């Protein structure tokens, strides 16, 4: 018999999200499941009971009935003790659980003999797990909403304007932490016209910041900050001191600060001190996205917006819930993808397969036995033997050249001089013995190669593919050769020297292919360049 998925109304204060939406209910039913939703569960997310019924779900009157009947419960927030008490023995729970922060809840769920899949425990380093990554989807919504809250509390436009009444400078926004939430905030603030700066301990995100329209502000201290699972690690005291100095400078200059820094299993690091807040311009805004974990600002009050030293400090803990429809839809899709992994047979039954690294990482309790924390995911297979043998040679080359990144030893000055000398001799030979007509064409060819190389070299890397497609289209000028064969020039007597049938057929085929190449190249270029326009 098909299992019943139950979706109760969230009981946490201020929580407006719902664990599934009508559009996803239809897809869950196609997997073979039955779906039941508590009456009113989706009202705050603009999902009515009637919409759920239309999608094929059963609407139950209260939470007690739903928890008692459901084989699998989808939730957003971790269940309260009262909800655990309503849960049927041996049932399954899927949602945010935060096992490290909720040991008592883990014991209560284990006592129920439950199987619990904590969506927050997903091994995010697995590429195939991205479709189930609810932390990422909700962080993206929160980052967007943080900018909206900042704009609401700020007393000016984000973009600069020149009007008859005077000039309005653009707002300056500094974003501490360029993870998923930070990048969403960077893109949103830049699209609103603000001057955006950002910092992160992970050096590899600098290019992402720039690509979204921000400026990466580097700490004057060399230390790599990448941690596991897409998070940053705790930095050394020396780095933190340099970082505080940089934050203090930004606080004096910018109008808005948005902080996103979190370290898993630990309180949020304090990045913005009370002294920094006091140096900010009156009317400035701080949005502390880490407020639920204690906050990145010393003066943050979780769940509230307060004014300190003339600065509005927004510490809301429900940013994703403030866009309930959008965040519910994304979260419901994450749970759908997880359900597809659990029910590959599409028969309404689930298989918690511990051979699957993603499912193993998610499962914190299985049939009453606590299985958290999960072992590290399996390492990818070893590289081919040929690459392994090439490693010592690359290392030797790097040590000789004084660099640790290249696999090819840099050319020495002596070798470079020999190459140039040989090239000069070859050019002299061509110039001395080649016919004048050849020399003229050869000179044009060499100059064209040089100019073409310099043009491509100075183009932004992201535009290389559109550039190649348009040059591919332009190269179709070779169609002129085919045209000459199809319609050869007339001689002095006015007669045309017609080619034989084979040459004519080949010329016509060449014309067709070059026409496709020409128009296709320009079409591809046009579509790709459209991706870079707002």
């Amino acid at each position: 018999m098909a299992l019943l998925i139950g979706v109760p109304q969230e009981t946490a204060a201020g929580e407006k999200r719902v664990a599934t939406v009508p559009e996803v209910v239809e897809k869950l039913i196609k997997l073979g499941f039955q779906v039941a939703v508590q009456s009113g569960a989706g009202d705050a997310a603009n999902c009515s009971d009637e919409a759920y019924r239309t999608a094929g779900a059963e609407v139950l009157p209260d939470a007690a009935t739903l928890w008692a009947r459901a084989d699998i419960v989808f939730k957003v927030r971790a269940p309260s003790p009262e909800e655990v008490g309503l849960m049927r023995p041996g049932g399954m729970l899927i949602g945010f659980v935060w096992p490290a922060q909720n040991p008592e809840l883990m014991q209560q769920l284990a006592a129920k003999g439950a199987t619990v899949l904590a969506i927050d425990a997903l091994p995010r380093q697995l590429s195939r797990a991205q479709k189930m990554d609810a932390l990422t989807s909700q962080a993206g919504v929160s980052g967007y909403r943080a900018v909206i809250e900042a704009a609401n509390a700020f007393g000016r436009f984000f973009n600069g304007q020149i009007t008859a009444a005077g000039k309005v400078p653009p707002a300056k926004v500094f974003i501490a932490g360029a993870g998923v939430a930070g990048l969403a905030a960077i893109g949103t603030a830049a699209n609103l016209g603000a001057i955006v700066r950002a910092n992160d301990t992970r050096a590899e995100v600098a290019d992402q910041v720039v690509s979204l329209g921000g400026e990466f502000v580097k700490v004057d201290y060399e230390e790599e900050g990448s941690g596991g699972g897409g998070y940053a690690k705790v930095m050394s005291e020396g780095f933190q001191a340099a970082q505080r100095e940089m934050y203090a400078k930004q606080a004096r200059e910018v109008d808005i600060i948005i902080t996103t820094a979190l370290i898993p299993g630990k309180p949020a690091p304090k990045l913005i001190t009370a002294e920094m807040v006091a140096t900010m311009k009156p009317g400035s805004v701080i949005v502390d996205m880490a407020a639920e974990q204690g906050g990145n600002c010393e003066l943050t009050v979780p769940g509230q917006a307060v004014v300190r030293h003339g600065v509005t400090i927004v510490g809301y803990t429900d940013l994703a819930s403030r866009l309930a429809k959008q965040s519910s839809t994304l979260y419901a899709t994450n749970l759908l993808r997880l359900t597809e992994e659990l029910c590959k047979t599409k028969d309404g039954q689930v298989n918690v397969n511990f051979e699957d690294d993603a499912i193993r990482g998610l499962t914190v309790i299985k049939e009453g036995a606590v299985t958290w924390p999960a072992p590290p995911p399996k390492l990818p297979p070893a590289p081919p033997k040929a690459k392994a043998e090439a490693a010592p040679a690359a290392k030797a080359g790097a040590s000789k050249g004084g660099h640790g990144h290249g696999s090819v030893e840099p050319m020495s000055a002596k070798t470079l001089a020999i190459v140039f000398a040989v090239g000069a001799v070859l050019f002299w030979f061509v110039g001395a013995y080649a016919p004048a007509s050849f020399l003229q064409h050869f000179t044009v060819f060499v100059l064209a190669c040089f100019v073409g190389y310099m043009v491509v070299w100075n183009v932004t890397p992201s535009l290389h593919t559109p550039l190649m497609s348009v040059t591919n289209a332009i190269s179709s000028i070779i169609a002129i050769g085919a045209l000459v064969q199809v319609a050869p020039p007339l001689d002095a007597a006015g007669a045309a020297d017609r080619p034989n049938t084979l040459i004519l057929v080949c010329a016509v085929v060449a014309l067709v292919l070059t026409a496709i190449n020409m128009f296709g190249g320009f079409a591809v270029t046009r579509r790709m360049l459209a991706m870079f326009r707002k």
Side-chain angles (χ1 to χ4, degrees), residues 186-464:
I186 291 167
T188 305
N191 288 337
L192 288 175
I195 297 173
V196 185
R197 305 169 185 170
N199 168 262
D200 197 282
T201 57
R202 297 160 291 189
E204 65 268 18
V205 304
D207 290 340
Q208 300 174 43
V209 171
V210 174
S211 69
L212 288 170
E215 174 193 351
F216 188 78
V217 182
K218 195 174 184 298
V219 177
D220 190 16
Y221 193 98
E222 292 299 328
E223 182 177 352
E224 175 53 41
S226 295
Y231 290 97
K233 70 176 184 181
V234 179
M235 307 300 286
S236 67
E237 184 55 41
F239 181 93
Q240 292 181 35
Q243 187 182 53
R244 283 192 293 270
E245 183 178 345
M246 183 269 291
Y247 284 152
K249 179 182 177 182
Q250 294 299 321
R252 293 191 296 269
E253 295 179 0
V254 302
D255 304 299
I256 296 169
I257 295 177
I258 298 175
T259 64
T260 70
L262 285 172
I263 297 173
K266 296 187 178 183
K270 299 298 180 185
L271 305 179
I272 309 299
T273 63
E275 290 77 12
M276 294 179 195
V277 175
T279 64
M280 295 182 71
K281 291 175 281 189
S284 297
V285 178
I286 296 175
V287 179
D288 194 340
M289 295 184 64
E292 195 166 8
Q293 302 301 321
N296 296 136
C297 177
E298 287 183 347
L299 302 180
T300 296
V301 178
Q304 298 181 34
V306 297
V307 179
R308 300 287 185 268
H309 304 292
V311 177
T312 302
I313 304 173
V314 179
Y316 297 148
T317 58
D318 60 346
L319 289 172
S321 184
R322 288 170 180 254
L323 287 170
K325 176 65 174 179
Q326 181 69 78
S327 53
S328 296
T329 301
L330 293 174
Y331 183 69
T333 303
N334 293 139
L335 295 192
L336 170 66
R337 301 307 174 206
L338 171 56
T339 308
E340 288 174 343
E341 294 296 315
L342 293 170
C343 181
K344 294 184 176 180
T345 54
K346 299 183 180 181
D347 58 355
Q349 302 295 320
V350 296
N351 175 27
V352 182
N353 179 18
F354 271 24
E355 295 300 316
D356 186 323
D357 283 341
I359 302 301
R360 176 63 188 91
L362 283 166
T363 308
V364 295
I365 300 175
K366 185 174 183 181
E367 298 174 355
V370 176
T371 59
W372 182 85
K378 298 173 184 176
L379 295 174
K385 188 175 180 181
K387 291 185 178 179
E389 291 173 352
K395 186 175 181 181
S399 62
K400 288 180 182 179
H403 300 281
H405 300 292
S407 59
V408 179
E409 183 180 351
M411 188 181 295
S412 66
K414 182 178 179 181
T415 305
L416 189 62
I418 293 172
V419 170
F420 271 102
V422 172
V425 170
L426 289 175
F427 274 96
W428 174 84
F429 182 82
V430 171
Y433 296 100
S437 58
F438 173 82
L439 187 60
Q440 182 181 0
H441 293 303
F442 182 71
T443 303
V444 172
F445 172 74
V446 172
L447 290 175
C449 289
F450 177 75
V451 171
Y453 173 79
M454 294 305 296
V455 168
V456 175
W457 181 262
N458 287 287
V459 170
T460 303
S462 59
L463 294 176
H464 277 181

Side-chain angles (χ1 to χ4, degrees), residues 442-513:
F442 182 71
T443 303
V444 172
F445 172 74
V446 172
L447 290 175
C449 289
F450 177 75
V451 171
Y453 173 79
M454 294 305 296
V455 168
V456 175
W457 181 262
N458 287 287
V459 170
T460 303
S462 59
L463 294 176
H464 277 181
T465 302
L467 177 66
M468 290 302 101
S469 60
V470 77
T471 53
N472 190 44
I474 294 171
S475 69
S476 297
I477 197 171
I478 60 174
I480 292 174
L483 286 172
V484 171
Q485 294 299 324
V486 173
L490 302 177
D491 58 18
D497 183 16
R498 292 290 178 182
N500 63 43
T501 305
L502 179 60
I503 294 177
L504 186 62
V505 170
C506 291
V508 171
V509 171
L511 275 176
V512 173
L513 294 177

Side-chain angles (χ1 to χ4, degrees), residues 58-94:
E58 181 182 1
V59 178
L60 299 179
D62 52 54
T65 304
L66 185 137
W67 281 90
R69 288 187 52 191
D71 301 295
I72 305 170
V73 175
F74 283 2
K75 268 190 63 62
V76 180
R77 296 271 186 169
S80 64
E82 292 76 16
E83 288 176 314
V84 176
L86 295 174
M87 187 176 184
R88 64 185 294 178
M92 177 180 286
L93 173 69
I94 302 176

